[in-house]
Amino acid sequence: MKPSRATPDPRKPLRREGPNSEESEAHMGLEDEQRQKSRQLELPTVDRGEAPRHRRSGESRSATQESGHSGNGDAELLELVVDWKNVEAALRRVRKNKGSPGVDGMTVDELPTYLMQNWSRLREEILSGRYRPQPVRRHAIDKKDGGTRELGIPTVVDRLVQQCILQVLQPRFDPSFSPHSYGFRPGRRAHDAVCAAQRFIYEGRRWVVDVDLEAFFDHVNHDVLMGKLATRIADRRLLRLIRLYLVAGIMASGVVTTRHEGTPQGGPLSPLLANVLLDEVDRELERRGHAFARYADDCNVYVRSKRAGERVLEALRRLYAKLRLRVNEAKSAVARPHERKFLGYSFWLSQGTVKRRVASKALAAMKDRVRDITKRSGGRSIPKVIEELRGYLVGWKNYFRLADTPGVFRELDGWIRHRLRALQLKQWKRGPTICRELIKRGVAPRDARRVAANVGRWWRSSQADLNVALPNSHFDALGVPRLANTSTH
């Protein structure tokens, strides 16, 4: 704590305290630069909320007591949350992520104008504790293995504030998380978790404890989570703000439902809160010397025997129960790695080497998606279909590029192009059109007439003869990506 300054002599002219002239000029130059950046992003230049550089010790104690926090360096985190540089970075991230409007209908493109007009008021409400998040908009999406997953879409303003909180807390929390945790962390990704799992199997751990948590994000206990956060965050005002986001209602069909548990997927802050809650389980597994990889709520522990795996599974049940989380017994098991999937991948042994492949469920889900995009009753043009197909396949190929199965990818390439040929044949519709188009593309007239005579049998007719009329190079030119590096189908 800085010593109190002596009371200035009223007979002497007041002298400006603070940095010397050179530092003052540099400080003024920095403020000018900040104002310019603020104008570029259409943000208002407001008081940044920083604590005064020179404050008497008595005043400092008083301010700390009024705010209700401990007075250490992390006791003023909320000021960092609303600092204009942090808001500027959060705005860029929210606009880049796009996303649907929340319950108020505001879009991400409207956010800069809103902030320019309302940021001073919004900032004051946050600092004074008067800010109240709006309910999230419920959005259900189908899960690959059946059922639905509930998403909660916050308003863009609430997404911005959550992003501001995330940018302040993540650099402070992340270094303390387990190295076995890979989900939603800077510099880490699902591929790292898959490679770690592969390494554990190669080292001789040929049994996996695959634990599935039942609707994890929907069942997070608020009191347990806030207790974990309270050990990491000294600023009680920030804790109150996070609690407000947890209890914000869910709107569906115009009706707002109060929420007593869960952190709805869809907000920027939820993944970090999940890591905070589950870090306790990670640390206990580390203490016991287990080899494991966790990505969000998906955790696999690799052991050397089935009996050891059963003991670990029972221990995990107890650890999760302490956090008020439920283990989905129907989807959890101790099994061989090739019998289970992890983040869409599965593993198998080949001549003493552990190899990766796309899990059967992930492969089935991919085919279902391609069938939906290329369905022959969609009424869309081939270029529109290929545009959507390309967007999906590029992301799918990038995620599953670790798979050691080039033959599977070649088969998928042939199957996808077969579907596109059938779609093109369907869009030509009439026999005379089909015959004319095939002859124009190099098919012998006799073969073209045979295909045209089988109008309606699109899948069967789109095989050998259409490979000549619509070769792979044709689809390459239209922008259809190949999953395999080379393809002969």
Side-chain angles (χ1 to χ4, degrees):
M1 183 178 294
K2 296 181 180 179
S4 302
R5 293 188 177 86
T7 304
D9 187 343
R11 295 172 297 178
K12 295 182 180 180
L14 290 176
R15 181 172 59 88
R16 182 176 179 271
E17 295 182 336
N20 58 33
S21 58
E22 292 180 359
E23 292 174 335
S24 179
E25 290 175 2
H27 180 64
M28 292 174 64
L30 179 60
E31 290 184 340
D32 290 340
E33 181 181 353
Q34 292 170 350
R35 291 190 182 95
Q36 180 64 25
K37 290 181 179 179
S38 177
R39 284 193 293 270
Q40 291 173 357
L41 273 178
E42 301 182 312
L43 281 174
T45 302
V46 296
D47 177 21
R48 292 170 291 171
E50 297 173 347
R53 289 180 172 80
H54 304 285
R55 178 184 285 169
R56 292 185 177 89
S57 58
E59 293 174 347
S60 178
R61 284 194 300 271
S62 175
T64 300
Q65 292 168 358
E66 290 176 3
S67 63
H69 43 72
S70 63
N72 61 27
D74 283 342
E76 294 182 344
L77 289 178
L78 197 59
E79 277 73 16
L80 298 179
V81 168
V82 298
D83 180 85
W84 81 269
K85 286 185 177 179
N86 190 48
V87 175
E88 180 183 55
L91 176 60
R92 286 196 297 268
R93 173 59 61 180
V94 170
R95 296 187 71 183
K96 181 179 180 181
N97 290 343
K98 300 185 184 298
S100 303
V103 296
D104 62 354
M106 184 188 300
T107 66
V108 291
D109 293 331
E110 297 172 324
L111 185 56
T113 300
Y114 175 86
L115 290 179
M116 183 170 60
Q117 299 170 352
N118 297 277
W119 174 244
S120 296
R121 173 187 57 79
L122 185 62
R123 176 184 176 278
E124 178 56 33
E125 288 180 355
I126 293 172
L127 289 174
S128 64
R130 291 183 288 110
Y131 178 76
R132 292 295 181 271
Q134 296 191 59
V136 298
R137 179 169 64 85
R138 173 175 289 170
H139 177 66
I141 60 173
D142 295 331
K143 298 175 67 174
K144 297 177 182 178
D145 55 353
T148 59
R149 174 181 288 112
E150 296 288 341
L151 296 183
I153 302 177
T155 65
V156 293
V157 174
D158 285 330
R159 292 210 292 269
L160 175 82
V161 178
Q162 286 193 40
Q163 183 65 34
C164 289
I165 297 172
L166 176 67
Q167 291 170 179
V168 169
L169 294 185
Q170 189 155 43
R172 287 167 167 75
F173 291 0
D174 194 78
S176 68
F177 290 151
S178 166
H180 297 276
S181 167
Y182 296 92
F184 311 111
R185 297 183 61 187
R188 289 170 168 255
R189 53 185 180 172
H191 286 172
D192 298 327
V194 171
C195 290
Q198 181 185 26
R199 184 176 68 253
F200 296 145
I201 299 169
Y202 179 76
E203 291 171 351
R205 298 175 176 88
R206 302 296 166 82
W207 290 86
V208 59
V209 184
D210 186 2
V211 180
D212 183 89
L213 294 177
E214 185 177 321
F216 167 73
F217 284 95
D218 295 333
H219 291 150
V220 169
N221 183 279
H222 292 172
D223 292 333
V224 173
L225 175 58
M226 292 306 301
K228 304 294 181 187
L229 290 172
T231 65
R232 295 172 176 265
I233 300 174
D235 193 332
R236 296 181 181 274
R237 301 166 302 163
L238 182 53
L239 288 171
R240 284 194 293 267
L241 180 58
I242 294 174
R243 168 76 81 163
L244 289 173
Y245 275 114
L246 292 176
V247 300
I250 300 175
M251 178 176 287
S253 302
V255 178
V256 177
T257 304
T258 304
R259 187 169 68 239
H260 300 288
E261 64 176 0
T263 60
Q265 292 174 269
L269 199 54
S270 292
L272 178 65
L273 299 182
N275 280 333
V276 169
L277 183 64
L278 295 175
D279 187 60
E280 178 179 318
V281 177
D282 295 343
R283 292 305 178 185
E284 181 60 24
L285 290 173
E286 284 183 348
R287 190 184 68 79
R288 299 184 184 194
H290 290 303
F292 69 98
R294 180 177 68 80
Y295 191 95
D297 59 324
D298 200 345
C299 181
N300 278 9
V301 185
Y302 294 87
V303 294
R304 299 182 185 275
S305 69
K306 184 177 182 180
R307 185 175 180 180
E310 290 170 346
R311 289 197 300 267
V312 171
L313 181 56
E314 183 57 36
L316 285 172
R317 289 191 183 102
R318 293 193 298 269
L319 289 171
Y320 287 128
K322 288 175 58 179
L323 300 176
R324 312 279 183 89
L325 297 172
R326 309 169 190 172
V327 173
N328 188 331
E329 297 294 344
K331 294 184 178 181
S332 301
V334 178
R336 296 291 191 180
H338 69 270
E339 298 173 347
R340 310 297 292 182
K341 65 180 179 65
F342 183 51
L343 302 178
Y345 283 86
S346 64
F347 306 92
W348 91 97
L349 291 174
S350 176
Q351 298 178 346
T353 301
V354 181
K355 293 191 174 182
R356 304 171 292 246
R357 62 186 170 195
V358 183
S360 57
K361 286 187 177 180
L363 199 58
M366 178 266 195
K367 286 190 169 184
D368 287 343
R369 181 73 179 113
V370 172
R371 287 189 186 100
D372 183 62
I373 294 173
T374 60
K375 59 186 176 184
R376 293 185 286 279
S377 60
R380 295 177 300 161
S381 67
I382 290 290
K384 286 291 185 182
V385 170
I386 288 178
E387 180 182 359
E388 183 178 355
L389 184 65
R390 174 179 173 78
Y392 174 73
L393 290 181
V394 167
W396 192 90
K397 177 182 179 180
N398 183 60
Y399 182 77
F400 286 106
R401 69 179 185 270
L402 297 184
D404 303 308
T405 53
V408 172
F409 288 165
R410 284 194 294 269
E411 290 178 4
L412 287 173
D413 281 335
W415 175 75
I416 291 169
R417 280 148 185 78
H418 191 169
R419 290 196 61 82
L420 291 173
R421 291 181 183 112
L423 176 61
Q424 179 64 82
L425 200 61
K426 169 73 182 303
Q427 293 193 355
W428 283 334
K429 295 182 180 178
R430 299 170 62 248
T433 304
I434 293 173
C435 185
R436 183 180 65 251
E437 293 294 338
L438 292 181
I439 292 173
K440 185 169 66 175
R441 287 166 170 78
V443 177
R446 182 183 60 182
D447 295 332
R449 287 192 293 269
R450 177 169 46 80
V451 174
N454 289 281
V455 172
R457 304 175 70 177
W458 312 116
W459 182 255
R460 181 176 178 179
S461 298
S462 60
Q463 296 181 7
D465 294 320
L466 258 73
N467 289 349
V468 175
L470 301 172
N472 286 344
S473 58
H474 170 76
F475 295 109
D476 292 342
L478 291 177
V480 181
R482 298 196 186 198
L483 302 179
N485 292 331
T486 59
S487 179
T488 59
H489 293 264

